[in-house]
Amino acid sequence: MAIEYRWAEMQADRLPALAADLVRRRVAVIVPNTTPAALAAKAATTTIPIVFATGGDPVALGLVVSLNRPGANLTGFAALTGELVPKRLQLVRDLIPNAALFGVLADPAFPATPSAIADLRAAARTLGLQLVVVNASMDRDLEPAFATFSQQHVGAVLVSDSIFYSRRTEQLAALAARHALPAISPYREYALAGGLMSYGSSLGYAQHQVGIYTGRILKGEKPADLPVEQATKIELTLNLKTAKALGIEFPAGFLVRADEVIE
C-alpha cells in the first residue's frame, strides 16, 4: 500500500488543487484531517471515499446529510467542538468568579468560527458576562490581540478552535504568560506548552478512529454505511506551575475532574 501525503502549509487556497491532484491519481480513499481540507475533498470528488476529521458539525458544514446516515462518499469523526465552547466559558468563570469580562481569540478563516462565537455570546448572556472578541488569523495578529486583552483588563482569554491555533500552542502560551493572562485552549498541547488549562476533544483519539474507518473502507465497506462518529473523549488538562505563576489556585473540584495535572 502506498500513502500519498499532501500538505497545504497553512494556505487554505491551495487545498482544492491538492485534492484535485489526489483525485487524478485515483487514490482508493482520501483522509482530510481538517475541516477546510474535508470541504476541498468533497468538492473534488463524488466517488472516491473520504474519511474526515472535523471540529465542527458535519451536517451544518455540508459534509454529510446526517450523522447516522452520512450518504454519498463521506464519513468520519466529528469532535463537535461547538458544544464545548460554552463549557470553556463556564470553566474560566468558575475559576475566576469575580471577572465579568472575558477575551476571545477567534480565527475568522476557520469555518466553524461564526457558529462558535454565536454559541459563546449566547452563553455569556446567560451568565451575565461580557466578551471582547479579537480576530487573529496570522502570526502578526497574535501579539496585538493579547495586548488588546491586557488593555481591556479581561479576566481570562478563551482561545477558540482553529487549525492555526493548534499549530501555535507554544506561542500562545508564551503570549499569555507575558501578559499575565489566564487562558484556556481546546488543545491539550497548549497546557503542555505552559498554558494554564485546556478542555477539548482528544485529537489523538480522533485520528485513531479515522484510521479505523479508513481501514474498514479499504476492506470494502462503504462510507454511506458508516455513521459519523462523535467525540466521547473530552480531556481537561491543568498546569499547576502556570497557575502558581499567575497567583491562581485551582479549586478541588477542578483537580478531581482533571484528566491530567501538570506539576
Side-chain angles (χ1 to χ4, degrees):
M1 180 176 65
I3 301 177
E4 293 282 347
Y5 292 95
R6 294 295 181 272
W7 173 241
E9 299 177 346
M10 301 303 296
Q11 299 176 50
D13 59 342
R14 294 181 57 191
L15 289 169
L18 296 176
D21 178 50
L22 292 176
V23 172
R24 284 193 299 270
R25 291 174 179 269
R26 299 181 181 179
V27 295
V29 60
I30 298 176
V31 185
N33 68 350
T34 68
T35 300
L39 292 169
K42 182 178 189 293
T45 178
T46 58
T47 56
I48 296 175
I50 297 170
V51 183
F52 59 77
T54 178
D57 180 345
V59 177
L61 290 168
L63 289 172
V64 296
V65 294
S66 78
L67 297 179
N68 288 332
R69 296 180 179 276
N73 60 318
L74 289 89
T75 188
F77 183 92
L80 298 181
T81 52
E83 298 179 2
L84 303 180
V85 170
K87 295 182 180 179
R88 291 189 199 108
L89 180 60
Q90 183 69 60
L91 281 169
V92 292
R93 197 277 181 94
D94 290 346
L95 183 63
I96 310 172
N98 295 327
L101 182 66
F102 291 89
V104 181
L105 187 69
D107 179 3
F110 190 64
T113 293
S115 61
I117 296 301
D119 291 341
L120 198 50
R121 291 191 188 280
R125 286 193 296 270
T126 300
L127 296 171
L129 304 175
Q130 292 184 308
L131 302 177
V132 176
V133 179
V134 179
N135 290 331
S137 57
M138 292 182 282
D139 285 315
R140 66 171 181 263
D141 300 331
L142 296 177
E143 172 60 43
F146 276 83
T148 297
F149 294 141
S150 182
Q151 293 162 6
Q152 293 287 332
H153 303 289
V154 301
V157 174
L158 292 88
V159 178
S160 63
D161 294 275
S162 161
I163 303 304
F164 175 63
Y165 299 155
S166 73
R167 305 285 196 268
R168 301 292 189 280
T169 52
E170 292 186 5
Q171 187 176 352
L172 293 173
L175 284 168
R178 186 183 310 160
H179 290 277
L181 287 169
I184 184 170
S185 166
Y187 309 109
R188 172 177 174 267
E189 290 76 12
Y190 172 76
L192 296 179
L196 177 64
M197 59 194 297
S198 66
Y199 183 72
S201 303
S202 169
L203 297 182
Y205 177 78
Q207 296 301 330
H208 182 76
Q209 297 307 111
V210 165
I212 290 175
Y213 263 20
T214 302
R216 291 174 65 177
I217 288 172
L218 289 174
K219 291 180 178 179
E221 295 189 56
K222 304 296 184 184
D225 299 330
L226 298 173
V228 175
E229 186 171 346
Q230 300 179 62
T232 56
K233 186 174 177 58
I234 310 300
E235 298 177 334
L236 173 63
T237 304
L238 309 177
N239 191 312
L240 297 187
K241 183 179 179 181
T242 301
K244 183 177 180 180
L246 292 169
I248 294 174
E249 184 175 350
F250 284 113
F254 274 70
L255 298 174
V256 171
R257 290 179 57 189
D259 298 276
E260 184 176 6
V261 176
I262 301 167
E263 301 187 40

Coordinates of all heavy atoms in Angstrom, one line a residue, residues 83-174:
E83 N -20.0 22.5 20.8 CA -20.8 22.1 22.1 C -19.9 22.4 23.3 O -20.4 22.5 24.4 CB -21.2 20.7 22.0 CG -22.2 20.4 20.9 CD -22.6 19.0 20.8 OE1 -22.2 18.2 21.7 OE2 -23.4 18.6 19.9
L84 N -18.6 22.4 23.1 CA -17.7 22.6 24.2 C -17.3 24.0 24.5 O -16.8 24.4 25.6 CB -16.3 21.8 24.0 CG -16.5 20.3 23.7 CD1 -15.1 19.7 23.4 CD2 -17.1 19.6 24.8
V85 N -17.7 24.9 23.6 CA -17.3 26.3 23.7 C -18.0 26.9 25.0 O -17.3 27.6 25.8 CB -17.7 27.1 22.5 CG1 -17.6 28.6 22.7 CG2 -16.8 26.7 21.3
P86 N -19.3 26.8 25.2 CA -19.9 27.3 26.4 C -19.3 26.7 27.7 O -19.2 27.4 28.7 CB -21.4 27.0 26.3 CG -21.6 26.7 24.8 CD -20.3 26.1 24.3
K87 N -18.9 25.5 27.6 CA -18.3 24.8 28.8 C -17.0 25.4 29.2 O -16.6 25.5 30.4 CB -18.2 23.3 28.6 CG -19.6 22.6 28.4 CD -19.4 21.1 28.2 CE -20.8 20.5 28.1 NZ -20.7 19.0 27.9
R88 N -16.2 25.8 28.2 CA -14.9 26.5 28.5 C -15.2 27.8 29.2 O -14.5 28.2 30.1 CB -14.1 26.7 27.2 CG -13.6 25.4 26.6 CD -12.6 25.7 25.5 NE -12.5 24.5 24.6 CZ -13.0 24.3 23.4 NH1 -13.6 25.3 22.8 NH2 -12.9 23.2 22.8
L89 N -16.2 28.6 28.7 CA -16.5 29.8 29.4 C -17.0 29.6 30.8 O -16.6 30.3 31.7 CB -17.7 30.5 28.6 CG -18.1 31.9 29.2 CD1 -16.9 32.9 29.2 CD2 -19.3 32.5 28.4
Q90 N -17.7 28.5 31.0 CA -18.2 28.2 32.4 C -17.0 27.8 33.3 O -16.9 28.2 34.4 CB -19.1 27.0 32.4 CG -19.7 26.7 33.7 CD -20.6 27.7 34.3 OE1 -21.7 28.0 33.7 NE2 -20.3 28.3 35.5
L91 N -16.0 27.1 32.7 CA -14.8 26.8 33.5 C -14.0 28.0 33.9 O -13.6 28.1 35.1 CB -13.9 25.8 32.6 CG -14.3 24.4 32.5 CD1 -13.5 23.7 31.5 CD2 -14.2 23.7 33.9
V92 N -13.7 28.9 33.0 CA -13.0 30.1 33.4 C -13.8 31.0 34.3 O -13.2 31.6 35.2 CB -12.4 30.9 32.2 CG1 -11.4 30.0 31.4 CG2 -13.5 31.3 31.3
R93 N -15.1 31.0 34.2 CA -15.9 31.8 35.1 C -15.8 31.2 36.5 O -15.8 31.9 37.5 CB -17.3 31.8 34.5 CG -18.2 32.9 35.1 CD -18.9 32.6 36.5 NE -19.7 33.6 37.0 CZ -21.0 33.6 36.8 NH1 -21.6 32.7 36.1 NH2 -21.7 34.6 37.3
D94 N -15.9 29.8 36.6 CA -15.8 29.2 37.9 C -14.5 29.4 38.5 O -14.3 29.5 39.7 CB -16.1 27.7 37.7 CG -17.5 27.4 37.4 OD1 -18.4 28.3 37.5 OD2 -17.8 26.3 36.9
L95 N -13.4 29.4 37.7 CA -12.1 29.6 38.2 C -11.8 31.1 38.6 O -11.1 31.3 39.6 CB -11.0 29.2 37.1 CG -9.6 29.3 37.5 CD1 -9.3 28.3 38.6 CD2 -8.7 29.0 36.3
I96 N -12.4 32.0 37.9 CA -12.2 33.4 38.2 C -13.6 34.1 38.4 O -14.1 34.8 37.5 CB -11.4 34.1 37.1 CG1 -10.1 33.3 36.8 CG2 -11.0 35.6 37.6 CD1 -9.4 33.8 35.7
P97 N -14.3 33.8 39.5 CA -15.7 34.2 39.6 C -15.9 35.7 39.7 O -17.0 36.1 39.5 CB -16.1 33.5 40.9 CG -14.8 33.3 41.7 CD -13.8 33.0 40.7
N98 N -14.9 36.4 40.1 CA -15.1 37.9 40.2 C -15.0 38.6 38.8 O -15.3 39.8 38.8 CB -14.1 38.5 41.2 CG -14.3 38.0 42.6 OD1 -15.4 37.7 43.0 ND2 -13.2 37.8 43.3
A99 N -14.6 37.9 37.8 CA -14.4 38.5 36.5 C -15.8 38.6 35.8 O -16.5 37.6 35.8 CB -13.4 37.8 35.7
A100 N -16.0 39.7 35.1 CA -17.2 39.8 34.3 C -16.9 40.0 32.8 O -17.9 40.0 32.0 CB -18.1 41.0 34.8
L101 N -15.7 40.2 32.5 CA -15.2 40.5 31.1 C -14.2 39.5 30.7 O -13.2 39.3 31.4 CB -14.7 41.9 31.0 CG -14.2 42.4 29.6 CD1 -15.4 42.5 28.7 CD2 -13.5 43.7 29.7
F102 N -14.4 38.8 29.6 CA -13.5 37.8 29.1 C -13.2 38.0 27.7 O -14.0 38.5 26.9 CB -14.2 36.4 29.3 CG -14.3 35.9 30.7 CD1 -15.5 36.2 31.4 CD2 -13.3 35.3 31.3 CE1 -15.6 35.9 32.7 CE2 -13.5 34.9 32.7 CZ -14.6 35.2 33.4
G103 N -11.9 37.7 27.3 CA -11.5 37.8 25.9 C -11.6 36.5 25.1 O -11.5 35.4 25.7
V104 N -11.8 36.7 23.9 CA -12.0 35.5 23.0 C -11.0 35.7 21.8 O -11.1 36.8 21.1 CB -13.4 35.3 22.5 CG1 -13.5 34.1 21.5 CG2 -14.4 35.2 23.6
L105 N -10.1 34.8 21.6 CA -9.3 34.8 20.4 C -9.9 34.0 19.3 O -10.1 32.8 19.5 CB -7.9 34.3 20.7 CG -6.8 34.4 19.7 CD1 -6.4 35.9 19.5 CD2 -5.5 33.6 20.0
A106 N -10.3 34.6 18.2 CA -11.0 33.9 17.2 C -10.3 34.0 15.8 O -9.8 35.0 15.4 CB -12.4 34.6 17.0
D107 N -10.4 32.9 15.1 CA -9.8 32.8 13.8 C -10.9 32.9 12.7 O -11.6 32.0 12.5 CB -9.0 31.5 13.6 CG -8.4 31.4 12.2 OD1 -8.5 32.3 11.4 OD2 -7.8 30.3 12.0
P108 N -11.0 34.1 12.0 CA -12.1 34.3 11.1 C -12.0 33.4 9.8 O -12.9 33.2 9.1 CB -12.0 35.7 10.7 CG -10.6 36.1 11.0 CD -10.2 35.3 12.2
A109 N -10.8 32.8 9.6 CA -10.6 32.0 8.5 C -11.0 30.5 8.7 O -11.1 29.7 7.8 CB -9.1 32.0 8.1
F110 N -11.4 30.2 10.0 CA -11.8 28.8 10.3 C -13.3 28.7 10.1 O -14.0 29.5 10.7 CB -11.4 28.5 11.7 CG -11.5 27.1 12.1 CD1 -10.8 26.1 11.5 CD2 -12.4 26.7 13.1 CE1 -10.9 24.7 11.9 CE2 -12.5 25.3 13.5 CZ -11.8 24.4 12.8
P111 N -13.7 27.7 9.4 CA -15.2 27.6 9.0 C -16.1 27.6 10.2 O -17.2 28.1 10.1 CB -15.2 26.3 8.2 CG -13.9 26.1 7.6 CD -12.9 26.6 8.7
A112 N -15.7 26.9 11.3 CA -16.6 26.8 12.4 C -16.7 28.0 13.3 O -17.5 28.0 14.3 CB -16.2 25.6 13.2
T113 N -15.9 29.0 13.1 CA -15.8 30.2 14.0 C -17.1 30.9 14.1 O -17.5 31.2 15.3 CB -14.7 31.1 13.5 OG1 -13.4 30.5 13.7 CG2 -14.6 32.4 14.4
P114 N -17.8 31.3 13.1 CA -19.1 32.0 13.3 C -20.0 31.4 14.2 O -20.6 32.0 15.1 CB -19.6 32.2 11.9 CG -18.4 32.1 11.0 CD -17.5 31.1 11.6
S115 N -20.3 30.1 14.0 CA -21.2 29.4 14.9 C -20.7 29.3 16.3 O -21.5 29.4 17.3 CB -21.5 28.0 14.4 OG -20.4 27.2 14.3
A116 N -19.4 29.1 16.5 CA -18.8 29.0 17.8 C -18.9 30.3 18.6 O -19.2 30.4 19.8 CB -17.3 28.6 17.7
I117 N -18.7 31.4 17.9 CA -18.8 32.8 18.5 C -20.2 33.0 18.9 O -20.5 33.6 20.0 CB -18.2 33.9 17.6 CG1 -16.7 33.7 17.4 CG2 -18.5 35.2 18.2 CD1 -15.9 33.6 18.6
A118 N -21.2 32.6 18.0 CA -22.6 32.8 18.3 C -23.0 32.0 19.6 O -23.7 32.6 20.5 CB -23.4 32.4 17.2
D119 N -22.5 30.8 19.7 CA -22.8 30.0 20.9 C -22.1 30.6 22.1 O -22.7 30.6 23.2 CB -22.2 28.6 20.7 CG -23.0 27.8 19.7 OD1 -24.1 28.2 19.3 OD2 -22.4 26.8 19.2
L120 N -21.0 31.2 22.0 CA -20.2 31.8 23.1 C -21.0 33.0 23.6 O -21.1 33.3 24.8 CB -18.8 32.1 22.7 CG -17.8 32.3 23.8 CD1 -17.8 31.2 24.8 CD2 -16.4 32.5 23.2
R121 N -21.4 33.8 22.6 CA -22.2 35.1 23.0 C -23.5 34.7 23.8 O -23.8 35.4 24.7 CB -22.5 35.9 21.8 CG -21.2 36.5 21.1 CD -21.7 37.6 20.1 NE -20.5 38.1 19.3 CZ -19.7 39.0 19.8 NH1 -19.9 39.6 21.0 NH2 -18.7 39.4 19.0
A122 N -24.1 33.7 23.3 CA -25.4 33.2 24.0 C -25.1 32.8 25.4 O -25.8 33.1 26.3 CB -26.0 32.1 23.1
A123 N -24.0 32.0 25.5 CA -23.6 31.5 26.9 C -23.2 32.7 27.8 O -23.6 32.7 29.0 CB -22.5 30.5 26.8
A124 N -22.5 33.7 27.2 CA -22.1 34.8 28.0 C -23.4 35.6 28.5 O -23.4 36.1 29.7 CB -21.2 35.8 27.2
R125 N -24.4 35.8 27.6 CA -25.6 36.5 28.1 C -26.3 35.7 29.2 O -26.8 36.3 30.2 CB -26.6 36.6 26.9 CG -26.1 37.7 25.8 CD -27.3 38.0 24.9 NE -27.6 36.8 24.1 CZ -27.1 36.5 22.9 NH1 -26.1 37.3 22.4 NH2 -27.4 35.5 22.2
T126 N -26.3 34.4 29.1 CA -26.9 33.6 30.1 C -26.2 33.8 31.5 O -26.9 33.8 32.5 CB -26.9 32.1 29.7 OG1 -27.7 32.0 28.5 CG2 -27.6 31.3 30.8
L127 N -24.9 33.9 31.4 CA -24.1 34.0 32.6 C -23.9 35.5 33.1 O -23.3 35.7 34.1 CB -22.7 33.4 32.4 CG -22.7 31.9 32.2 CD1 -21.3 31.4 31.7 CD2 -23.1 31.1 33.4
G128 N -24.5 36.4 32.3 CA -24.3 37.8 32.7 C -22.9 38.3 32.5 O -22.4 39.2 33.2
L129 N -22.2 37.8 31.5 CA -20.8 38.2 31.2 C -20.7 38.9 29.9 O -21.6 38.9 29.0 CB -19.9 36.9 31.1 CG -20.0 36.0 32.3 CD1 -19.1 34.7 32.1 CD2 -19.5 36.7 33.6
Q130 N -19.6 39.7 29.8 CA -19.3 40.4 28.5 C -18.1 39.8 27.9 O -17.2 39.3 28.5 CB -19.1 41.9 28.8 CG -20.4 42.6 29.2 CD -20.1 44.1 29.4 OE1 -19.2 44.5 30.1 NE2 -21.0 44.9 28.8
L131 N -18.0 39.9 26.5 CA -16.9 39.3 25.8 C -16.2 40.4 25.0 O -16.8 41.3 24.4 CB -17.4 38.2 24.8 CG -18.1 37.0 25.4 CD1 -18.6 36.1 24.4 CD2 -17.2 36.3 26.4
V132 N -14.9 40.3 24.9 CA -14.1 41.1 23.9 C -13.5 40.1 22.9 O -12.6 39.3 23.2 CB -12.9 41.8 24.6 CG1 -12.0 42.5 23.6 CG2 -13.4 42.7 25.7
V133 N -14.1 40.1 21.7 CA -13.7 39.2 20.6 C -12.7 39.8 19.7 O -12.9 40.9 19.2 CB -14.9 38.7 19.8 CG1 -14.5 37.7 18.7 CG2 -15.9 38.0 20.7
V134 N -11.5 39.2 19.6 CA -10.4 39.8 18.8 C -10.1 38.7 17.7 O -9.8 37.6 18.1 CB -9.2 40.1 19.6 CG1 -8.1 40.7 18.7 CG2 -9.5 41.2 20.6
N135 N -10.1 39.1 16.5 CA -9.8 38.2 15.4 C -8.3 38.1 15.1 O -7.6 39.2 15.2 CB -10.5 38.6 14.1 CG -12.0 38.4 14.1 OD1 -12.5 37.5 14.8 ND2 -12.7 39.3 13.4
A136 N -7.8 36.9 14.9 CA -6.4 36.7 14.6 C -6.2 35.5 13.7 O -6.5 34.4 14.2 CB -5.6 36.6 15.9
S137 N -5.8 35.7 12.5 CA -5.6 34.5 11.6 C -4.2 34.4 11.1 O -3.9 33.5 10.3 CB -6.6 34.6 10.5 OG -6.4 35.8 9.8
M138 N -3.3 35.3 11.5 CA -1.9 35.2 11.1 C -1.0 35.5 12.2 O -1.4 36.1 13.2 CB -1.6 36.2 9.9 CG -2.3 35.9 8.6 SD -2.0 37.1 7.3 CE -3.1 38.4 7.8
D139 N 0.3 35.1 12.1 CA 1.2 35.3 13.2 C 1.3 36.8 13.7 O 1.4 37.0 14.9 CB 2.6 34.8 12.8 CG 2.7 33.3 12.8 OD1 2.3 32.7 13.7 OD2 3.3 32.8 11.8
R140 N 1.3 37.7 12.8 CA 1.4 39.1 13.1 C 0.2 39.6 13.9 O 0.3 40.7 14.5 CB 1.6 39.9 11.9 CG 0.5 40.0 10.9 CD 0.7 41.0 9.8 NE -0.4 41.2 8.9 CZ -0.4 40.6 7.7 NH1 0.6 39.8 7.3 NH2 -1.5 40.7 6.9
D141 N -0.9 38.9 13.9 CA -2.1 39.3 14.6 C -2.1 38.9 16.1 O -2.8 39.5 16.9 CB -3.3 38.7 14.0 CG -3.5 39.0 12.6 OD1 -3.1 40.1 12.2 OD2 -4.1 38.2 11.8
L142 N -1.2 38.0 16.5 CA -1.3 37.4 17.8 C -0.9 38.4 18.9 O -1.6 38.5 20.0 CB -0.5 36.1 17.9 CG -1.0 35.0 17.0 CD1 -0.1 33.8 17.1 CD2 -2.5 34.6 17.4
E143 N 0.3 39.0 18.8 CA 0.8 39.9 19.8 C -0.2 41.1 20.0 O -0.5 41.4 21.2 CB 2.2 40.4 19.5 CG 2.7 41.5 20.4 CD 2.8 41.1 21.8 OE1 3.3 40.0 22.1 OE2 2.4 41.9 22.7
P144 N -0.7 41.8 19.0 CA -1.6 42.8 19.2 C -2.9 42.3 19.9 O -3.5 43.1 20.6 CB -1.9 43.3 17.8 CG -0.7 43.0 17.0 CD -0.2 41.7 17.6
A145 N -3.3 41.1 19.6 CA -4.5 40.6 20.2 C -4.4 40.5 21.7 O -5.3 40.9 22.4 CB -4.9 39.2 19.6
F146 N -3.3 39.9 22.1 CA -3.1 39.8 23.6 C -2.8 41.1 24.2 O -3.2 41.3 25.4 CB -1.9 38.8 23.8 CG -2.3 37.4 23.8 CD1 -2.4 36.6 22.7 CD2 -2.7 36.7 25.0 CE1 -2.9 35.3 22.7 CE2 -3.1 35.4 25.0 CZ -3.2 34.7 23.8
A147 N -2.2 42.0 23.5 CA -2.1 43.4 24.0 C -3.5 44.0 24.3 O -3.7 44.7 25.3 CB -1.3 44.2 23.1
T148 N -4.4 43.8 23.3 CA -5.8 44.3 23.5 C -6.4 43.7 24.7 O -7.1 44.4 25.5 CB -6.6 44.0 22.2 OG1 -6.0 44.7 21.1 CG2 -8.0 44.4 22.4
F149 N -6.3 42.4 24.9 CA -6.9 41.7 26.1 C -6.3 42.3 27.3 O -7.1 42.6 28.3 CB -6.6 40.2 26.0 CG -7.3 39.5 24.9 CD1 -6.6 38.5 24.2 CD2 -8.6 39.8 24.5 CE1 -7.2 37.8 23.2 CE2 -9.2 39.1 23.5 CZ -8.5 38.1 22.8
S150 N -5.0 42.6 27.4 CA -4.4 43.2 28.5 C -4.9 44.6 28.8 O -5.2 44.9 30.0 CB -2.9 43.2 28.4 OG -2.2 43.7 29.5
Q151 N -5.0 45.4 27.8 CA -5.5 46.7 27.9 C -7.0 46.8 28.4 O -7.4 47.7 29.1 CB -5.3 47.5 26.6 CG -3.9 47.7 26.2 CD -3.7 48.0 24.7 OE1 -4.7 48.2 24.0 NE2 -2.5 48.1 24.2
Q152 N -7.7 45.8 27.9 CA -9.2 45.7 28.3 C -9.4 45.1 29.7 O -10.5 45.1 30.2 CB -9.9 44.9 27.3 CG -10.0 45.6 25.9 CD -10.9 46.7 25.8 OE1 -11.9 46.8 26.6 NE2 -10.7 47.7 24.9
H153 N -8.3 44.6 30.3 CA -8.3 44.0 31.6 C -9.3 42.8 31.7 O -10.1 42.8 32.6 CB -8.7 45.1 32.7 CG -7.7 46.2 32.7 ND1 -6.4 46.1 33.2 CD2 -7.9 47.5 32.3 CE1 -5.8 47.3 33.1 NE2 -6.6 48.1 32.6
V154 N -9.3 42.0 30.7 CA -10.2 40.8 30.7 C -9.7 39.9 31.9 O -8.6 39.8 32.2 CB -10.1 40.1 29.4 CG1 -10.6 41.0 28.2 CG2 -8.8 39.5 29.1
G155 N -10.7 39.1 32.4 CA -10.4 38.2 33.5 C -9.6 37.0 33.0 O -8.8 36.4 33.7
A156 N -9.9 36.6 31.8 CA -9.2 35.4 31.2 C -9.5 35.4 29.7 O -10.3 36.2 29.2 CB -9.7 34.1 31.8
V157 N -8.7 34.6 28.9 CA -8.8 34.6 27.5 C -9.3 33.1 27.1 O -8.7 32.2 27.6 CB -7.5 34.9 26.8 CG1 -7.6 34.7 25.3 CG2 -7.1 36.3 27.1
L158 N -10.2 33.1 26.2 CA -10.6 31.8 25.6 C -10.1 31.7 24.2 O -10.4 32.5 23.3 CB -12.1 31.6 25.6 CG -12.8 31.5 26.9 CD1 -13.2 32.9 27.5 CD2 -14.1 30.7 26.8
V159 N -9.2 30.7 23.9 CA -8.7 30.5 22.6 C -9.7 29.6 21.9 O -10.0 28.5 22.3 CB -7.3 29.8 22.6 CG1 -6.8 29.6 21.2 CG2 -6.3 30.7 23.4
S160 N -10.2 30.1 20.7 CA -11.2 29.3 20.0 C -10.6 28.2 19.2 O -9.3 28.1 19.0 CB -12.1 30.2 19.1 OG -11.2 30.8 18.1
D161 N -11.4 27.3 18.7 CA -10.9 26.2 17.8 C -10.4 26.7 16.5 O -11.0 27.6 15.9 CB -12.0 25.2 17.6 CG -12.4 24.5 18.8 OD1 -11.8 23.5 19.2 OD2 -13.4 24.9 19.5
S162 N -9.2 26.3 16.1 CA -8.6 26.7 14.8 C -7.4 25.9 14.5 O -6.6 25.6 15.4 CB -8.2 28.2 14.9 OG -7.3 28.5 13.9
I163 N -7.3 25.4 13.3 CA -6.1 24.7 12.8 C -4.9 25.6 13.1 O -3.8 25.1 13.6 CB -6.2 24.3 11.4 CG1 -7.5 23.5 11.1 CG2 -4.9 23.6 10.9 CD1 -7.6 22.3 11.9
F164 N -5.0 26.9 12.8 CA -3.9 27.8 13.0 C -3.4 27.8 14.5 O -2.3 27.7 14.8 CB -4.3 29.2 12.5 CG -3.3 30.3 12.8 CD1 -2.1 30.3 12.2 CD2 -3.6 31.3 13.6 CE1 -1.1 31.3 12.4 CE2 -2.7 32.3 13.9 CZ -1.5 32.3 13.3
Y165 N -4.4 27.9 15.4 CA -4.1 28.0 16.8 C -3.5 26.6 17.3 O -2.7 26.6 18.2 CB -5.3 28.4 17.6 CG -5.9 29.7 17.3 CD1 -7.2 30.0 17.6 CD2 -5.1 30.7 16.8 CE1 -7.7 31.3 17.3 CE2 -5.6 32.0 16.5 CZ -6.9 32.2 16.7 OH -7.5 33.5 16.4
S166 N -4.0 25.5 16.7 CA -3.5 24.2 17.2 C -2.0 24.1 16.8 O -1.3 23.3 17.4 CB -4.3 23.1 16.5 OG -4.0 23.0 15.1
R167 N -1.5 24.8 15.8 CA -0.1 24.8 15.4 C 0.7 25.9 16.2 O 1.9 26.0 15.9 CB 0.0 25.0 13.9 CG -0.8 24.0 13.1 CD -0.2 22.7 13.0 NE -0.7 21.9 11.9 CZ -1.8 21.1 12.0 NH1 -2.4 21.0 13.2 NH2 -2.2 20.4 11.0
R168 N 0.1 26.7 17.0 CA 0.8 27.8 17.7 C 0.6 27.7 19.2 O 0.6 28.7 19.9 CB 0.2 29.1 17.2 CG 0.3 29.4 15.7 CD 1.7 29.6 15.2 NE 1.8 30.0 13.8 CZ 1.7 29.2 12.8 NH1 1.4 27.9 12.9 NH2 1.8 29.7 11.6
T169 N 0.5 26.5 19.7 CA 0.3 26.4 21.2 C 1.4 27.0 22.0 O 1.2 27.7 23.0 CB 0.1 24.9 21.6 OG1 1.2 24.1 21.1 CG2 -1.2 24.4 21.0
E170 N 2.7 26.8 21.6 CA 3.8 27.3 22.4 C 3.8 28.9 22.3 O 4.0 29.5 23.3 CB 5.1 26.8 21.9 CG 5.3 25.3 22.2 CD 6.7 24.8 21.8 OE1 7.5 25.6 21.4 OE2 6.9 23.6 21.9
Q171 N 3.5 29.4 21.2 CA 3.5 30.8 21.0 C 2.3 31.5 21.8 O 2.5 32.5 22.5 CB 3.3 31.2 19.5 CG 3.4 32.7 19.2 CD 3.4 33.0 17.7 OE1 3.4 32.0 16.9 NE2 3.3 34.2 17.4
L172 N 1.2 30.8 21.8 CA 0.0 31.3 22.6 C 0.3 31.3 24.1 O -0.1 32.2 24.8 CB -1.2 30.6 22.2 CG -1.7 30.8 20.7 CD1 -2.9 29.8 20.4 CD2 -2.1 32.2 20.5
A173 N 0.9 30.2 24.5 CA 1.2 30.0 25.9 C 2.2 31.1 26.4 O 2.1 31.7 27.5 CB 1.8 28.6 26.2
A174 N 3.2 31.4 25.5 CA 4.2 32.4 25.9 C 3.5 33.8 25.9 O 3.9 34.6 26.8 CB 5.3 32.4 24.8

